[in-house]
């Protein structure tokens, strides 16, 4: 929990900045830069050593992540179907035109966006509730937290299978609740079940991240607020939420990126039937099952771009700090 | 004090090393087992084949016959066809030499041949593979006029019906639907059970209907999408069936085995399914099995017999196999008439060699062999093209759910999607 001290400290400084007024932030930054300028020889050597030490790791990271990304970009510019190896050719952006004008792609994109928005919103609310409960639990704290984490600990595919059987008429207890109809055969109900399975699985993760955020809220602030006559709702919205903002944004960023890549649950529950494919499912179908490396890679690149845009929006517009990065340097 | 951590590290090191060695061994051991049976010794022929309960006996028999020239090892593929294909394709694309003989679904032969993953059958091997083999299954093993596989077993769906509910098996789908509707009104088991989930099973159902209506999905050379009047008629029939109220509520999510189970539980009057349901039913519900008979799958028109889609497995030899000669020999042995009969009797998979059907032993194990043979002699073959997998995927997506079909419009949609798939331009849903 000691790692939480840094963001907490950082947040306190921003609180201080806010209280002193916006205009003071600029001189503060300038002062910061001035303080940086006279760097001692010792410090500089230390920095150089730091760079040298992390260079190999950085290099490996670049090789490992950059190569596949560049290769899939290269593949996406070709007609490359493993079944027609003799007809491989460079076709420029034609694959992008094919995918971006295809209704299957946009249906999948819409489904993915819907799943992302709905599940993340529900998870945020539920996760916050769960976090508050776990934070305030006095008896059996460890057990309560462990129990809440169980769904997240179960392998997604395994959990998805149990959901599928539960909703299959005859074998499933949940299907029998609804007079033996087959909810996985219809679009709306399958989507609801997919989202339910996602929410069930990842709410604990959300709760865990939010609980770390709750630990940042100083008891003193809450006490002071209640002395001033704030109701518990006011304490929650006016004190806890602002202090927790970085933690909430990080949780949202993680979950949004995660939710956008939804695959396992759909793969097992409907296999994309009844127009319930997500974009990842679609890329898998085209790449692995369809053996169409060109179209499949095009989709992977498009998914990559979307994920990058989501991350950009969170980091630049909402000011989400990546864990470990200093709050002050981001601005 | 500073030496303490070092000492601790020293003490720990041997244990680390032992653990690392153990881990390495565990990683390597299974790989070693996969190797080609030791240098210089008998070559190991790795047979990758879908699960078949008694295939090991066939393999043992062939190994005995080989007298040490090679040794076949049966490596069981996953149960689901899609997963079988994905595993083989992934390894073949990586030029894996650990696969020798491949059991391919009949719809994959053209694809594997076009991708240069399997070897052409020539000379003596070819002659033996073609000898006495039914033409339908043999067609599925050809690509651009050359033979790329030897059909091991075929398969064809039958109409299973309850003799306590229905006197005469229906000749057409319309007859079957109205018979089921009558049963429904009388409060008797009435459902017509068959596969309607968005997967290959739905395409098989549609292909049967389309061919029975005299329709063509692809041109004869497999290069163009056709979708003529016959296929529109079949779409109409499929829609009529799906909306007539005689299907099970699970119809749009039903695959082979759930369909069999539903019929076994007694809610259905008809079932269109593969012959595997017969032995299973006798074991699970012998009382019901006594009341169940079989017939040719209904047609579209009362005077034209139906054409039923054939399935089955073809045996091919991988391009990357290091022992091609032995592999061809092993494949021939596994599919020879004697072993086909054994598999038919013990595993219920219909033979591809016609004379096997005349064997007296077949009578007992295969009471429905006449109907099967009758269907096999004028079969419906699924579109023969390397792009079949893509075509099947887009077709199943467009056809699903069948109740939403608008015949002419759906046919146009299918034609466009199939044309794109043939050009590797299509996006698979």
């Amino acid at each position: 929990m000691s790692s939480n001290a840094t963001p907490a400290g950082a947040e306190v400084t921003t609180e201080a900045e806010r209280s002193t007024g916006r205009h003071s932030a600029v001189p503060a930054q300038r002062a910061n830069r001035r303080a940086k300028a006279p760097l001692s020889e010792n410090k500089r050597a230390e920095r150089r050593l730091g760079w040298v030490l992390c260079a190999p790791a950085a290099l490996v990271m670049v090789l490992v992540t950059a190569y596949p990304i560049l290769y899939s970009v290269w593949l996406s510019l070709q007609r490359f179907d493993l079944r027609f190896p003799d007809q491989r050719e460079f076709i420029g952006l034609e694959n992008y035109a094919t995918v971006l004008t295809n209704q299957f792609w946009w249906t999948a994109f819409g489904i993915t966006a819907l799943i992302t928005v709905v599940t993340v919103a529900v998870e945020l609310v539920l996760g916050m509730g769960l976090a508050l409960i776990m934070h305030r639990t006095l008896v059996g704290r460890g057990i309560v937290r462990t129990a809440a984490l169980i769904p997240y600990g179960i392998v997604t595919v395994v959990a998805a299978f149990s959901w599928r059987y539960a909703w299959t008429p005859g074998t499933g207890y949940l299907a029998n609740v609804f007079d033996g109809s087959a909810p996985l055969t219809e679009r709306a109900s399958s989507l609801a079940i997919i989202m339910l399975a996602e929410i069930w699985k990842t709410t604990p993760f959300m709760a865990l991240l939010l609980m770390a955020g709750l630990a940042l809220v100083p008891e003193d602030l809450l006490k002071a607020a209640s002395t001033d006559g704030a109701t518990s709702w006011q304490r929650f919205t006016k004190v806890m939420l602002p202090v927790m903002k970085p933690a909430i944004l990080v949780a949202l960023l993680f979950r949004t990126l995660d939710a956008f890549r939804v695959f396992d649950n759909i793969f097992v529950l409907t296999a994309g039937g009844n127009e319930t494919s997500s974009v990842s499912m679609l890329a898998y179908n085209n790449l692995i099952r369809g053996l169409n490396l060109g179209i499949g890679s095009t989709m992977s690149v498009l998914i990559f771009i979307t994920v990058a845009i989501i991350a950009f929006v969170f980091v630049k517009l909402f000011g989400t700090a990546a864990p470990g990065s200093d709050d002050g340097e981001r601005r | 004090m500073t030496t303490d951590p070092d000492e601790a590290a020293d003490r720990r090191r041997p244990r680390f090393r032992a653990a690392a060695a153990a881990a390495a061994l565990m990683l390597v051991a299974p790989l070693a087992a996969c190797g080609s049976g030791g240098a210089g010794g008998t070559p190991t022929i790795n047979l990758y084949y879908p699960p078949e309960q008694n295939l090991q006996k066939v393999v043992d028999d062939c190994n005995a016959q080989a007298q040490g020239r090679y040794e076949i090892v049966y490596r069981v593929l996953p149960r689901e066809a899609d997963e079988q294909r994905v595993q083989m394709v992934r390894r073949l694309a990586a030029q894996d030499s650990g696969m020798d003989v491949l059991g391919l679904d009949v719809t994959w032969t053209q694809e594997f041949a076009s991708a240069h993953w399997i070897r052409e059958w020539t000379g003596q091997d070819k002659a033996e593979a073609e000898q006495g083999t039914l033409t339908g299954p043999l067609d599925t093993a050809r690509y651009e006029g050359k033979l790329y596989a030897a059909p091991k077993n075929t398969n064809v769906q039958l109409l299973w019906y309850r003799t306590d509910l229905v006197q005469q098996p229906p000749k057409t789908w319309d007859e079957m639907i109205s018979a089921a509707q009558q049963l429904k009104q009388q409060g008797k088991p009435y459902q017509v059970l068959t596969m309607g989930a968005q997967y290959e099973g739905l395409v098989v159902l549609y292909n049967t209907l389309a061919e029975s209506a005299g329709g063509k999905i692809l041109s004869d050379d497999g290069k163009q999408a056709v979708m003529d009047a016959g296929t529109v008629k079949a779409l109409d029939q499929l829609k009529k069936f799906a909306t007539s109220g005689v299907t099970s509520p699970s119809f749009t999510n039903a695959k082979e085995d759930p369909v069999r189970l539903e019929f076994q539980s007694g809610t259905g009057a008809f079932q269109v399914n593969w012959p595997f349901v017969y032995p299973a039913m006798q074991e699970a519900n012998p009382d019901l099995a006594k009341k169940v008979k079989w017939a040719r799958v209904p047609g579209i028109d009362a005077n034209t017999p139906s054409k039923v889609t054939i399935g089955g497995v073809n045996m091919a030899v991988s391009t990357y196999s290091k022992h091609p000669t032995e592999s061809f020999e092993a494949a021939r042995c596994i599919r020879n008439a004697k072993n086909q009969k054994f598999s038919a009797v013990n595993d219920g998979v219909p033979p591809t060699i016609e004379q096997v059907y005349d064997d007296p032993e077949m009578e007992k194990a295969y009471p429905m062999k006449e109907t099967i043979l009758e269907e096999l002699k004028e079969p419906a073959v699924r579109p023969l093209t390397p792009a079949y997998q893509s075509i099947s995927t887009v077709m199943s997506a467009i056809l699903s759910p069948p109740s939403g079909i608008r015949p002419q419009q759906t046919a146009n949609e299918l034609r466009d999607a199939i044309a794109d798939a043939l050009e590797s331009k299509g996006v698979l849903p």
Side-chain angles (χ1 to χ4, degrees):
Chain A
M1 279 290 137
S2 65
S3 63
N4 281 329
T6 329
E11 194 50 45
V12 169
T13 46
T14 42
E15 284 292 315
E17 272 170 26
R18 208 165 293 149
S19 61
T20 48
R22 271 272 162 240
H23 32 270
S24 74
V26 180
Q29 252 176 23
R30 212 172 285 152
N32 218 1
R33 210 171 295 146
R34 222 179 298 133
K36 265 183 203 162
L39 214 55
S40 72
E41 187 56 38
N42 215 358
K43 264 259 158 69
R44 243 179 286 162
E46 221 169 67
R47 279 206 178 174
R48 228 177 294 128
L49 181 68
W51 275 110
V52 172
L53 285 179
C54 67
L59 200 70
V60 169
M61 277 293 282
V62 167
L63 286 179
V64 167
T65 57
Y67 173 71
I69 291 172
L70 292 178
Y71 186 57
S72 62
V73 170
W74 169 235
L75 284 178
S76 72
L77 301 175
Q78 300 175 49
R79 174 181 176 180
F80 189 5
D81 192 323
L82 282 181
R83 289 164 305 195
F84 303 101
D86 311 333
Q87 293 170 39
R88 182 177 176 176
E89 59 180 332
F90 184 84
I91 52 168
L93 293 175
E94 211 173 288
N95 281 333
Y96 287 90
T98 307
V99 173
L100 292 174
T101 54
N102 187 281
Q103 52 139 358
F104 290 139
W105 168 261
W106 288 112
T107 312
F109 200 89
I111 293 287
T112 316
L114 178 78
I115 292 176
T116 307
V117 170
V118 173
T119 60
V120 173
V122 174
E123 279 165 21
L124 180 65
V125 174
L126 287 182
M128 185 61 93
L130 205 58
L132 286 170
I133 293 169
M134 290 198 290
H135 189 63
R136 293 280 167 233
T137 315
L138 296 175
V139 201
R141 227 180 221 215
I143 291 176
V144 169
R145 290 183 185 181
T146 314
L149 267 178
I150 286 175
Y152 193 63
I154 297 175
V155 180
T156 314
V157 174
V158 176
F161 268 110
S162 68
W163 280 107
R164 191 178 89 188
Y165 290 131
W167 289 107
T168 304
T171 55
Y173 59 100
L174 285 172
N176 297 341
V177 174
F178 295 89
D179 62 53
S181 65
L184 283 173
T185 61
E186 266 151 59
R187 193 180 185 201
S189 48
S190 339
L191 278 177
I193 290 172
I194 289 168
M195 289 195 252
L196 185 71
E198 281 283 307
I199 292 167
W200 176 82
K201 184 193 69 164
T202 39
T203 299
F205 177 67
M206 188 68 115
L208 199 71
L209 290 177
L210 293 177
M211 208 168 67
L214 271 180
L216 302 181
V217 183
E219 274 307 307
D220 296 352
L221 268 183
L222 292 173
K223 273 189 199 142
S226 66
T227 315
D228 288 344
T231 62
S232 53
W233 178 249
Q234 279 171 328
R235 265 176 300 169
F236 178 67
T237 53
K238 299 265 153 84
V239 181
M240 288 160 91
L241 284 187
V243 177
M244 282 175 73
K245 191 187 150 209
I248 294 176
L249 282 175
V250 166
L252 280 181
L253 171 66
F254 277 23
R255 274 306 303 145
T256 308
L257 294 186
D258 230 19
F260 195 79
R261 295 176 292 130
V262 57
F263 180 82
D264 328 36
N265 270 318
I266 298 180
F267 185 79
V268 173
L269 284 168
T270 62
N274 303 309
E275 299 184 13
T276 52
S277 276
S278 69
V279 281
S280 306
M281 190 76 209
L282 212 59
Y284 169 83
N285 280 345
N286 284 277
L287 203 57
I288 310 284
R289 281 171 57 190
L291 304 179
N292 196 337
L293 303 190
I295 297 276
S297 303
T298 305
M299 290 176 175
S300 315
V301 171
L302 289 172
I303 295 171
F304 173 73
I305 292 172
T306 318
V307 165
I309 291 174
I310 294 175
F312 179 84
V313 166
F314 266 97
V315 173
K316 288 289 168 194
L317 300 187
F318 298 158
T320 311
S325 75
D326 189 51
D327 199 44
E329 267 175 34
R330 170 171 55 75
R331 290 172 197 213
Chain B
M1 281 306 278
T2 47
T3 54
D4 265 350
D6 285 341
E7 262 176 38
D10 268 334
R11 255 181 275 123
R12 237 177 278 136
R13 216 164 277 152
R15 227 192 297 156
F16 268 135
R17 218 173 275 163
L25 265 179
M26 269 166 67
L27 285 172
V28 171
L31 291 178
C34 278
S36 56
T42 3
T44 300
I45 303 299
N46 290 300
L47 165 68
Y48 280 82
Y49 201 88
E52 204 178 286
Q53 215 172 355
N54 296 296
L55 190 67
Q56 186 59 49
K57 294 216 178 84
V58 172
V59 167
D60 292 342
D61 179 62
C62 286
N63 282 338
Q65 231 180 74
Q67 294 176 323
R69 270 174 297 128
Y70 56 82
E71 201 197 345
I72 310 168
V73 180
Y74 175 23
R75 312 224 178 257
V76 187
L77 286 168
R79 193 160 287 278
E80 293 258 336
D82 262 351
E83 287 162 37
Q84 294 163 12
R85 178 173 163 276
V86 165
Q87 181 181 150
M88 289 195 281
V89 158
R90 208 183 58 218
R91 295 180 60 175
L92 289 167
Q95 315 201 341
D96 186 338
S97 63
M99 298 179 129
D100 298 291
V101 181
L102 311 171
L104 304 182
D105 192 283
V106 285
T107 57
W108 304 336
T109 315
Q110 288 72 36
E111 176 176 44
F112 280 53
S114 167
H116 309 311
W117 287 332
I118 52 177
R119 291 169 192 256
E120 192 192 338
W121 286 60
T122 51
Q124 186 57 37
D125 295 319
K126 182 183 180 195
E128 198 181 307
E130 287 177 341
Q131 179 74 37
T133 304
L134 289 157
T135 50
L138 209 49
D139 281 343
T140 67
R142 289 204 179 101
Y143 176 61
E144 294 186 335
K146 296 174 185 163
L147 188 72
Y148 277 92
K152 174 184 172 288
N153 66 262
T154 180
N155 220 337
V156 72
Q157 297 185 351
L158 296 172
L159 171 69
W160 308 88
Y161 64 99
R162 292 261 301 263
T163 49
D164 58 329
L165 302 169
V166 193
Q167 281 80 36
Q168 277 288 315
K171 282 250 177 296
T172 66
W173 281 81
D174 283 339
E175 264 179 49
M176 180 158 70
I177 292 167
S178 56
Q181 280 166 337
Q182 269 173 28
L183 287 168
K184 192 179 184 179
Q185 276 164 12
Q186 294 161 13
K188 291 182 183 163
Y190 65 92
Q191 287 173 357
V192 181
L193 300 167
T194 193
M195 289 71 82
Q198 182 182 326
Y199 81 121
E200 187 61 24
L202 180 57
V203 182
V204 167
L205 172 63
Y206 176 66
N207 190 61
T208 298
L209 291 171
E211 293 256 350
S212 300
K216 261 191 186 341
I217 294 172
L218 279 195
S219 60
D220 284 331
D221 63 357
K223 301 253 194 282
Q224 244 121 43
V226 176
M227 294 300 294
D228 55 15
T231 57
V232 178
K233 205 168 170 186
L235 285 169
D236 191 43
Q237 183 73 71
L238 184 55
K239 186 202 171 88
K240 222 188 275 173
F241 169 60
T243 51
S244 59
V246 298
T247 58
S248 132
S250 306
F251 174 60
T252 56
N253 210 23
K255 299 190 176 182
E256 279 90 350
D257 218 44
V259 165
R260 165 185 78 90
L261 289 170
E262 264 188 301
F263 189 76
Q264 262 171 220
S265 73
T267 58
F270 304 96
Q271 173 183 210
V272 177
N273 210 336
W274 308 94
F276 84 102
V277 302
Y278 185 70
M281 188 159 39
Q282 277 180 320
E283 218 169 275
N285 193 345
D287 291 340
L288 182 76
K290 273 178 223 144
K291 294 182 226 160
V292 172
K293 275 198 147 183
W294 52 88
R296 191 169 182 149
V297 172
I300 301 285
D301 176 67
N303 301 314
T304 321
S306 62
K307 286 176 112 188
V308 189
T309 308
I310 53 172
V313 183
N314 292 337
M315 314 229 4
V317 175
S318 160
T319 305
Y320 309 108
S321 165
K322 286 180 185 146
H323 313 287
T325 323
E326 289 87 354
S327 296
F328 278 114
E329 204 181 327
R332 264 163 47 192
C333 175
I334 285 166
R335 70 165 298 276
N336 70 21
K338 179 183 146 217
N339 286 330
Q340 284 204 12
K341 189 184 81 186
F342 177 86
S343 294
V345 171
N346 293 287
D347 283 326
V349 288
T352 54
I353 299 175
E354 196 176 341
Q355 66 165 73
V356 177
Y357 288 88
D358 302 333
D359 195 285
E361 260 185 76
M362 288 288 288
E363 198 69 52
K364 233 187 271 171
Y366 252 63
M368 56 282 187
K369 68 172 191 180
E370 291 305 323
T371 319
I372 290 179
L373 201 54
E374 193 183 298
E375 288 185 345
L376 283 175
K377 281 188 173 167
E378 13 172 9
V381 175
R382 280 169 274 181
L384 294 173
T385 158
Y388 180 73
Q389 192 68 25
S390 309
I391 291 180
S392 156
T393 314
V394 285
M395 279 180 79
S396 63
I398 293 174
L399 290 173
S400 179
S403 53
I405 289 173
R406 278 170 292 177
Q408 189 56 55
Q409 199 180 327
T410 307
N412 296 341
E413 243 178 273
L414 281 171
R415 189 183 304 117
D416 293 344
I418 293 169
D420 277 350
L422 288 171
E423 295 276 295
S424 355
K425 256 201 282 189
V427 171
L428 303 182

